Amino acid sequence: RFDSLSKILSSGLRLGCVTGPTALVDRINLHTQASNLHPSGVSQALCAKLLHHWGQDGWERHVKKVALYYMKRRDVFEALARKYLSAYAEWTTPSAGMFVWFKLHGIDDTQQLIQEKARGANVLLLPGQAFSPTNSKSEYVRAAFSTASAEDMEEALSRFSKLLEAS
């Protein structure tokens, strides 16, 4: 299992950990040593000091607080998505994280939609094709709700629904 501190402690923090069978973790460690130097020593020291200061209980309180923060943002985003996109897309409510994947009705290539129309309308989404190991066309788009205000979410989803209506 891979875990990252970037979404829990500070965005842009490139520290994480891996847990699993010893043989697998050892191989990952060897690969990491051969492919990059190491994470920032300053970042490692700051995180170690903070985690030591918090202890297990403080860490768990912080993680719950962060999870609640993202859950509230997800709920606002999803309510707005229901308002603007129900006729044009389907999705599953994410149980964690900061992204919603929309499956668009009647559009089999979201790459084209995003590149040709959404960017021009200041709607920032990622086409599903960007996540395909085979670069295949996709009917999905990924939307982030982690940093936008409720007003910006509403504006973006309203613009997106108008693009979909016109498509």
Side-chain angles (χ1 to χ4, degrees):
R1 175 182 162 145
F2 292 94
D3 290 294
S4 170
L5 297 177
S6 68
K7 305 302 187 274
I8 298 173
L9 290 181
S10 176
S11 60
L13 184 65
R14 298 297 179 233
L15 290 178
C17 63
V18 61
T19 54
T22 301
L24 178 60
V25 172
D26 288 346
R27 295 289 293 177
I28 292 169
N29 191 34
L30 285 173
H31 176 73
T32 301
Q33 290 172 1
S35 63
N36 62 13
L37 294 175
H38 54 76
S40 163
V42 173
S43 296
Q44 291 181 73
L46 288 171
C47 286
K49 185 75 171 171
L50 179 62
L51 294 173
H52 179 73
H53 172 75
W54 277 347
Q56 183 69 31
D57 290 341
W59 168 251
E60 289 178 12
R61 278 192 305 275
H62 179 74
V63 169
K64 286 178 185 174
K65 183 178 168 184
V66 170
L68 182 60
Y69 170 82
Y70 285 123
M71 188 182 331
K72 287 178 180 178
R73 296 185 70 72
R74 179 211 58 203
D75 292 348
V76 168
F77 185 83
E78 189 171 27
L80 292 166
R82 280 193 301 275
K83 178 179 177 180
Y84 290 103
L85 299 179
S86 291
Y88 309 108
E90 59 189 73
W91 62 92
T92 301
T93 303
S95 60
M98 52 197 70
F99 304 103
V100 172
W101 283 90
F102 293 109
K103 180 180 180 184
L104 304 184
H105 300 154
I107 297 175
D108 67 345
D109 183 6
T110 59
Q111 179 88 13
Q112 185 178 3
L113 174 72
I114 300 304
Q115 287 182 342
E116 294 178 9
K117 296 180 182 177
R119 280 188 192 162
N122 290 325
V123 176
L124 301 177
L125 299 167
L126 285 173
Q129 184 173 346
F131 300 92
S132 170
T134 60
N135 202 30
S136 302
K137 289 182 181 180
S138 175
E139 56 196 355
Y140 290 89
V141 295
R142 187 183 83 168
F145 55 81
S146 60
T147 60
S149 67
E151 294 79 16
D152 288 343
M153 289 179 198
E154 181 153 27
E155 182 64 28
L157 292 171
S158 172
R159 287 180 190 171
F160 190 45
S161 71
K162 289 173 186 167
L163 286 176
L164 293 172
E165 184 177 3
S167 293

